Amino acid sequence: MAKDQTIGDNSEMDIDYAELSAFIEEMQNKQKTVSEATGSLRSHLKASLDKTGWHKGAAAMIRQIDGMSETSRADFLRTFEPMFDVMISKKWRDEQQDIFSDNTTTEPAK
C-alpha cells in the first residue's frame, strides 16, 4: 500500500477480472479436492473403527495426544495419566462393571 493511501482507499487498486475469476475457480477446485479427501479420510476412519471395535472418541483422543509435540505431550501426560488412573480406580471401573450387573460398589473419590 502506498504511503499516501489510507486503509480502505481502493482508488488505485487495479483488479483484472480474468485473474480474479481464475483465482476463484482455483480456490473452488482446491476446496473440492479437500472435501473429497476429507470424505475419503472419514470413510477410512469409519472402516477402521468398525473393524477394530474401537470407540470413535477414544481413538480421536489418542490421535490428538499423538499429534502433540513431544514437549506438549509430555506435559499433558504428566497430569493426564495420574488423573485417568484415579478416575479408573475410584469411579469408572465400577461403573463399567455396573453396565453388566446390578451391583454398585464404587467408593467415593478421595
Side-chain angles (χ1 to χ4, degrees), residues 27-80:
M27 293 301 107
Q28 289 171 336
N29 289 337
K30 289 188 183 303
Q31 181 60 50
K32 182 179 177 187
T33 301
V34 168
S35 294
E36 289 170 353
T38 299
S40 177
L41 178 62
R42 286 183 182 182
S43 177
H44 179 72
L45 178 59
K46 182 179 181 332
S48 294
L49 293 175
D50 288 347
K51 177 182 168 188
T52 61
W54 294 342
H55 185 275
K56 179 175 140 180
M61 185 175 288
I62 292 299
R63 290 177 61 218
Q64 179 185 7
I65 294 168
D66 191 59
M68 294 177 180
S69 72
E70 191 174 335
T71 303
S72 294
R73 185 173 44 253
D75 189 43
F76 176 85
L77 292 175
R78 175 182 58 80
T79 54
F80 180 82

Side-chain angles (χ1 to χ4, degrees), residues 14-26:
D14 185 25
I15 304 293
D16 179 72
Y17 175 74
E19 182 180 358
L20 181 56
S21 292
F23 168 77
I24 291 170
E25 185 177 345
E26 179 184 9

